[in-house]
């Protein structure tokens, strides 16, 4: 018996859809060999667990933290932002989030940096966004300028190569200047000479959770050097000689390595083997430094100052695209006690396209456990599993 024409058409369409679905499932081969290719959430995602505050002692907000109290329990710390006048709207957005969730209770000062003077509008509107003191600082020319040992022709050629490799911001001189300043210059500014702790805040970031304790006092009381929220892999094409230069430095100064360091995290080759290969021995794991809460005494130490000087003279801030995040992270991973580095799991944070969103009644506006709202391949950029493996979740 002949099959009716409508049924034949339905069978053909069904077969086509089935073959299309099979093709979609199997068509995409991993771009990077190795276990790091898994484009999926972290198994047993820790931010899906109930998240409370870090261990006591915790200093709570009270009337003593009023902005106009000269005898406040605030310690020697500031909120720090490198920002341009044209980023005013995005900076105000970040300020409102952090003021709402934390700083309106503690009133730590804001210190804004720019390589040109701030506009009247920038000053007026940022002051209106907080009750705390605001300081506006211009970066000294000698801290921002391209060093005289950098060859401009070589930089131009290197910038073309970075652009061909699709390295973001590679051709922009100002981006290289910013990375160098954030790596080894910011803490030398005269406005910070008497400041010890800072919380770095960038334009267009978001904070989601109420924080009811003095974060700076917690860092001091618990002898912590550095706090982070997000831990990522870097683009190895942007830093091919950073680790070889680091090895040269360590060979000359083995005394700077801390006996309880996180070198295994720095050099891991198992999860993203091609990253390690392209970066010549560096895993490319780093703390995403658009959020960092840190003790500047570490950057002012002889170990770090000598390390930065070595890197600066090597030229990689301009001939490659060495960012402050991998430079800070390698230094912390080698020269500091790994137990003095803290994951602030309780601070809800986003810098597009990544999140730190804990499970807590204090949080709203983000999806618990979400690492990214971007493409699936972005999940493999998560280096937290390595940090948890080699160091832990403190």
């Amino acid at each position: 018996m002949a099959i009716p024409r409508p049924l034949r058409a339905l069978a053909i369409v069904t077969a086509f859809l089935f073959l299309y679905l099979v093709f979609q499932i199997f068509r995409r081969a991993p771009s990077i060999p190795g276990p790091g290719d898994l484009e999926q959430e972290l198994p047993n995602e820790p931010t899906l667990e109930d998240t409370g505050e870090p261990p006591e002692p915790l200093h709570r907000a009270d009337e003593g933290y009023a902005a106009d109290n000269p005898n406040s329990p605030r310690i020697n710390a500031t909120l720090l932002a490198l920002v341009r006048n044209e980023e005013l709207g995005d900076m105000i957005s970040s300020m409102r989030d952090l003021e709402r969730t934390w700083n309106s209770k503690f009133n730590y000062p804001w210190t804004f940096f720019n390589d040109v003077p701030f506009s009247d509008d920038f000053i007026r509107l940022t002051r209106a966004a907080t009750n705390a003191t605001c300081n506006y600082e211009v970066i000294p020319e000698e801290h921002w300028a391209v060093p005289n040992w950098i060859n401009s022709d070589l930089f131009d050629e290197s910038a073309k190569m970075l652009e061909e490799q699709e390295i973001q911001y590679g051709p922009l001189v100002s981006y290289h200047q910013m990375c160098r300043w954030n790596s080894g210059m910011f803490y030398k500014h005269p406005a910070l000479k008497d400041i010890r702790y800072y919380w770095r805040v960038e334009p267009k970031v978001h904070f989601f959770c109420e924080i009811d304790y003095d974060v700076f006092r917690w860092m001091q009381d618990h002898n912590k050097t550095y706090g982070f929220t997000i831990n990522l892999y870097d683009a190895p094409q942007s830093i091919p000689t950073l680790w070889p230069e680091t090895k040269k430095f360590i060979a000359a100064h083995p005394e700077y390595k801390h006996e309880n360091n996180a070198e295994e995290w720095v050099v891991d080759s198992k999860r993203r083997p091609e990253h390690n290969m392209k970066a010549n021995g560096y895993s490319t794991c780093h703390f995403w430094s658009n959020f960092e809460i840190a003790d500047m005494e570490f950057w002012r130490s002889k170990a770090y100052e000598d390390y930065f000087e070595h890197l600066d003279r090597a030229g990689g801030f301009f001939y490659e695209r060495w960012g402050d995040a991998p430079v800070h992270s390698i230094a912390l991973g080698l020269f500091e006690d790994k137990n003095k580095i803290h994951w602030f799991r309780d601070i809800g944070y986003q810098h597009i396209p990544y999140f730190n969103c804990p499970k807590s009644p204090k949080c709203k506006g983000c999806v618990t456990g979400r690492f990214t709202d971007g493409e699936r391949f972005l999940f493999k950029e998560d280096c937290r599993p390595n940090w948890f493996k080699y160091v832990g979740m403190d």
Side-chain angles (χ1 to χ4, degrees), residues 27-293:
R27 74 185 177 91
R28 193 159 142 171
S31 58
I32 301 175
D37 280 323
L38 297 176
E39 297 174 9
Q40 62 187 25
E41 295 86 347
L42 176 65
N44 304 314
E45 168 61 58
T47 57
L48 288 173
E49 302 171 0
D50 289 335
T51 301
E53 295 176 326
E56 297 278 357
L58 297 168
H59 293 268
R60 305 293 181 180
D62 57 29
E63 293 181 0
Y65 278 99
D68 58 355
N69 181 7
N71 300 312
S72 165
R74 282 185 293 272
I75 64 170
N76 200 3
T78 191
L79 300 168
L80 186 153
L82 173 64
V83 57
R84 296 170 295 187
N85 285 309
E86 55 267 34
E87 295 174 302
L88 172 59
D90 290 336
M91 192 70 240
I92 293 293
S93 174
S94 299
M95 289 182 71
R96 286 174 177 164
D97 265 15
L98 191 52
E99 287 288 328
R100 184 189 71 252
T101 56
W102 183 69
N103 200 44
S104 60
K105 306 161 196 171
F106 298 96
N107 292 297
Y108 274 95
W110 288 85
T111 305
F112 300 99
F113 291 96
N114 197 347
D115 63 317
V116 299
F118 284 103
S119 68
D120 291 342
D121 280 348
F122 188 99
I123 293 172
R124 175 175 58 84
L125 293 172
T126 49
R127 278 182 175 159
T130 179
N131 290 324
T133 300
C134 291
N135 305 299
Y136 303 90
E137 306 294 342
V138 176
I139 299 169
E141 175 66 20
E142 63 270 22
H143 287 183
W144 191 258
V146 177
N148 58 18
W149 58 84
I150 297 300
N151 182 296
S152 59
D153 292 334
L154 182 55
F155 170 78
D156 290 341
E157 288 300 314
S158 301
K160 289 178 184 177
M161 292 176 62
L162 290 170
E163 188 171 26
E164 289 170 0
Q165 296 180 79
E166 300 183 339
I167 298 299
Q168 192 175 27
Y169 311 122
L172 296 179
V173 177
S174 60
Y175 191 84
H176 294 262
Q177 291 171 299
M178 178 193 71
C179 290
R180 176 176 179 263
W181 186 81
N182 277 325
S183 294
M185 293 293 171
F186 77 95
Y187 54 88
K188 298 173 184 175
H189 194 285
L192 298 179
K193 67 181 179 64
D194 297 321
I195 302 295
R196 180 163 179 179
Y197 295 92
Y198 70 96
W199 182 334
R200 179 168 158 185
V201 184
E202 291 200 352
K204 207 175 181 178
V205 300
H206 295 288
F207 297 91
F208 303 104
C209 306
E210 292 291 330
I211 309 164
D212 296 320
Y213 60 95
D214 183 337
V215 173
F216 292 125
R217 289 285 297 270
W218 189 87
M219 292 282 289
Q220 177 181 265
D221 292 345
H222 293 264
N223 195 23
K224 299 295 183 181
T225 297
Y226 191 87
F228 71 95
T229 54
I230 295 171
N231 193 324
L232 297 175
Y233 288 92
D234 207 351
Q237 301 92 328
S238 68
I239 48 173
T241 66
L242 176 57
W243 184 246
E245 287 296 336
T246 299
K247 288 176 67 177
K248 289 180 190 176
F249 177 77
I250 292 298
H253 298 283
E255 71 276 11
Y256 288 154
K257 285 183 70 173
H258 198 283
E259 61 183 10
N260 190 37
N261 63 49
E263 185 172 9
E264 290 177 301
W265 170 73
V266 173
V267 302
D268 176 81
S269 62
K270 295 177 182 177
R271 194 160 180 267
R272 299 293 294 273
E274 189 162 318
H275 270 229
N276 182 287
M277 180 184 69
K278 288 181 178 179
N280 294 296
Y282 171 36
S283 68
T284 78
C285 285
H286 64 279
F287 309 118
W288 217 21
S289 59
N290 45 70
F291 174 107
E292 57 184 12
I293 301 172

